[in-house]
Amino acid sequence: MLYRKLLAALVLLVLGGVLSGSATALPGTGSQPLAHAPQVASYRMDVRLDPAAKTVTGTERITYHNPSQDVLPEVWLRLYLRAFRDLNTIWMRESGGTSRGFAIQPSQLGDITVSKLAVAGGSDLLAGTTLTDTLMRVPLPQPLAPGQSLALDVTWTSKLPRAFARTGYGGRDDTFFIVGQWYPKMAVYDRGRWDTEPWHANSEFFNDFGSYDVGITVPQEYVVAGAGVPAGEQASGDGAKTLRFTSDDVTDFAFAASPDFKTRFAKAGDVDVALYYLPEHEPTVEEYISTSVKSIEAYSSWYGAYPHPRLTVVDVPDDAGGAGGMEYPTLVTGGTLGVPGITGAVAVVTSHEIGHQWWPMQTATNEGREPWLDEGLTEYSGVRYMIDEGPKLGFGELGVSAAAIDQGQYAAFPDVPATLPAWQYSDTSYIAVYSKTAMGLWTLERVVGTERFRRAMADYLAAYRFKHPTGADFRASLERSLGGDLGWFFDDFLSGTGVIDYAAAPIPSDGGGSTVWVIRQGAVRAPVEVRVTLASGAQQTRGWDGRAESVSMSFPAGDPVVRVEVDPERKLKAELDVLDNGVSAAPEVGPALTLSGRLVFWLQSFVHSIGLFG
Ligand SMILES: [Zn+2]
């Protein structure tokens, strides 16, 4: 999910930050053969959207396969819309009724009510259930043995809120609907326990894989953007029609509907890209399409192929911004910020949301417990895409880069660990999950090299696709692929409270300047390069593992050091204070400086002065 970032971006824009990143795109690592996901929780639904009542009524058959080695005497259902039923739910109390700057309308709340729950063709289960916040505990008449399946029949009504937090309605005459977190859904049994953490304000979702077959009945004039692929449409009488969508190897299903949707289609390799947009946003269509196509192609080449035949992109109305910038499997919502003439907003949002089609849609990590594996990896992906391909966010040449946005956001909370559970952050410090992880991964990429890093990420995905990996799995996978201990990155930086901060000590004027010192001022023991320029103009670059608090480097007498640059190529993207990274010898060394030495010295100083954030 992404929206608060853009507000901060506009602040940066007003401040006039004009920063840019640079890196080289490399060819892809080659796609792995794709296995299908385990069929743990599958759904067949028939639902009806009532635009006047703002409800979705439906029936579903849930087929749940016990994926564990444990006997399950009960199962748990998630009823997310209960978070919006009054102002006293956990979600509401934590959020204060706002999400990413959008506030709930207390007269337009949401809810979900289950009216039937039974073993398919069998006994009622509803009477024995217990509701707790957004969860329903369902004791089973017969325990579910390992490897066994259970079919449940459910009938329910969802009342949609005015869209302020991902789901609901808005737009012209309240005829736009984005329907997410909306049906009775299986919780996840993972590592010996049901994940019964209630829905928290900062948290998103944790889901099992399965298949969906969804029939959606709407008034005849509505256009429906469904996840998965369209699987037929037929009139259903009374001025209504039913559209079917099927989706395989996915963890969720969402759809949008509006009588105003226009469509545009494109191809990203073999993938169909379907854009559903509102007529007032016609000027953004090209940015939507080019971002969708190019980001699918980029992530496919970096991490492994997008594993579905179609990706649907949904534009949202200006008055329903809370519905924008959200990801579901095979469907994302975009956003234009509602600022006429702005460029780059659609690209920033859309490339981020499409990044989620890899993280977490293919890994299905637990976003509540380890949100950095989801938002952090995605934020990194989106920023790197934007650096390679995207426009600046702003108005033509007057804009900020996506990298500058993340640098600014990271700089606001550098001492906040990025690896906490979602509910341990405040609404504002939660941005550390995004930006600290993104700046860290970009740093790691630069330290080990782009090609190696992308191959390591692809290795991680290939090893853990469809498997609910944890942060420990991610670390072990990267250390395996990159061949070494990455404690400086995972412990010191991501999970720690310290920063990357190096400084070059003044060059001694006596002794010919042949010994220089570099000092580690931050707690993060990142490997770093040190480049010295000698009076002759020659340069030497040496590596330092950063483990000690300082290091000295000696050079033969007779060709004094005139310049020391710590991290001369600015690989350590997460280092905030680089003003002390370079130091020059006192001017009296001038007479010893050759012409080429002077030129190198001047160029170094110039590059340093303009390249702070390169
Ligand atoms: Zn996100």
Side-chain angles (χ1 to χ4, degrees), residues 181-183 185 205 207-208 212 227 247 250-254 328-329:
Q181 293 81 245
W182 58 285
Y183 57 94
K185 189 170 193 336
F205 313 108
N207 295 307
D208 274 317
Y212 287 75
S247 196
V250 292
T251 56
D252 199 1
F253 186 92
Y328 299 95

Side-chain angles (χ1 to χ4, degrees), residues 1-2 204 325 327 352-353 356 367 374-375 378-379 434:
M1 190 175 78
L2 182 89
E204 284 180 348
E327 71 281 9
H352 174 98
E353 305 312 334
H356 279 303
E367 187 171 359
D374 172 318
E375 294 298 353
T378 295
E379 182 68 10
Y434 291 68

Side-chain angles (χ1 to χ4, degrees), residues 29-32 34 209 249-251 268-269 271 273 291-308 310-311 327-332 350-365 372-382 385 454 457-462 464-469 474:
T29 56
S31 57
Q32 311 281 338
L34 292 179
F209 288 95
D249 303 324
V250 292
T251 56
V271 179
V273 175
T291 303
S292 301
V293 169
K294 288 192 295 183
S295 63
I296 290 171
E297 290 174 347
Y299 305 144
S300 293
S301 95
W302 301 349
Y303 304 138
Y306 175 76
H308 304 287
R310 179 176 163 112
L311 178 78
E327 71 281 9
Y328 299 95
T330 74
L331 184 149
V332 302
T350 307
S351 62
H352 174 98
E353 305 312 334
I354 290 177
H356 279 303
Q357 298 303 317
W358 280 258
W359 330 111
M361 298 313 172
Q362 296 182 46
T363 49
T365 45
W372 66 281
L373 290 173
D374 172 318
E375 294 298 353
L377 270 60
T378 295
E379 182 68 10
Y380 161 76
S381 304
Y385 166 79
R454 288 181 180 164
M457 293 291 281
D459 288 347
Y460 162 65
L461 181 61
Y464 290 100
R465 182 183 278 116
F466 309 138
K467 291 181 180 170
H468 301 311
F474 179 63

